[in-house]
Amino acid sequence: QVQLVQSGGDSVQAGGSLRLSCAASGYTDSTIRIAWFRQAIGKEREGVATIHTPTGTTYYVDSLKGRFTISRDSAKNTVYLQMNSLKPEDTAMYYCAARTPDGAGWWYPNTYKYWGQGTQVTVSS
C-alpha cells in the first residue's frame, strides 16, 4: 500500500517562501504521477502542480506558474513544492497525491487513489 507523508506547512508573511515535502513509500511501480493540490475554506480542491516519474516531467496550473516549483529527490523518494512570493490567497490546506497507472487530466483530484494527510499553509498580509 502506498503511503504519502507530508511536512513543511507553516504560517508566513506575504512575500515569504515555504517548501513542502511529500515522502512516498510502500510502492514498487516506479512509474507513477505525484501531484500537489490545495483546498481553501469554502473552495473546491484544485490542482497546483504535478511531476511524472521517472521522467521528471512537470506541469503547473497557469495561475501559479512562475511562483511555485515542483521537484523530486529520487534517492529519498520525496517530492517537494517550493512556494515563493506567497500571497494571502495561497492560504489553504495543501495535499500531495499519487496515482498509478497514469491517465489524462492530472488536475482532477478524483483520479488520484493515494493521498497525504495534508498540511496547512497560512499567509498573512
Side-chain angles (χ1 to χ4, degrees):
Q1 184 178 12
V2 176
Q3 295 184 97
L4 304 175
V5 179
Q6 300 179 222
S7 63
D10 205 351
S11 298
V12 65
Q13 295 281 331
S17 299
L18 287 173
R19 189 180 73 166
L20 306 183
S21 299
C22 177
S25 63
Y27 73 95
T28 58
D29 190 349
S30 62
T31 302
I32 63 172
R33 176 173 295 282
I34 298 178
W36 288 96
F37 293 84
R38 68 183 185 181
Q39 187 167 21
I41 296 174
K43 298 284 189 177
E44 294 185 351
R45 191 167 298 187
E46 65 174 343
V48 174
T50 188
I51 188 167
H52 183 264
T53 62
T55 64
T57 302
T58 61
Y59 297 97
Y60 300 87
V61 67
D62 288 343
S63 61
L64 297 176
K65 189 175 182 179
R67 293 196 297 121
F68 288 15
T69 303
I70 189 170
S71 62
R72 65 176 178 179
D73 186 335
S74 297
K76 298 180 179 180
N77 296 119
T78 300
V79 173
Y80 304 97
L81 183 68
Q82 179 68 44
M83 304 183 292
N84 297 326
S85 301
L86 284 163
K87 305 175 181 179
E89 308 92 270
D90 297 319
T91 295
M93 186 74 73
Y94 284 72
Y95 300 89
C96 64
R99 70 186 189 190
T100 183
D102 199 13
W106 70 265
W107 55 91
Y108 292 119
N110 62 355
T111 66
Y112 289 79
K113 183 177 181 179
Y114 307 103
W115 291 84
Q117 79 278 17
T119 185
Q120 179 68 37
V121 172
T122 301
V123 184
S124 60
S125 60

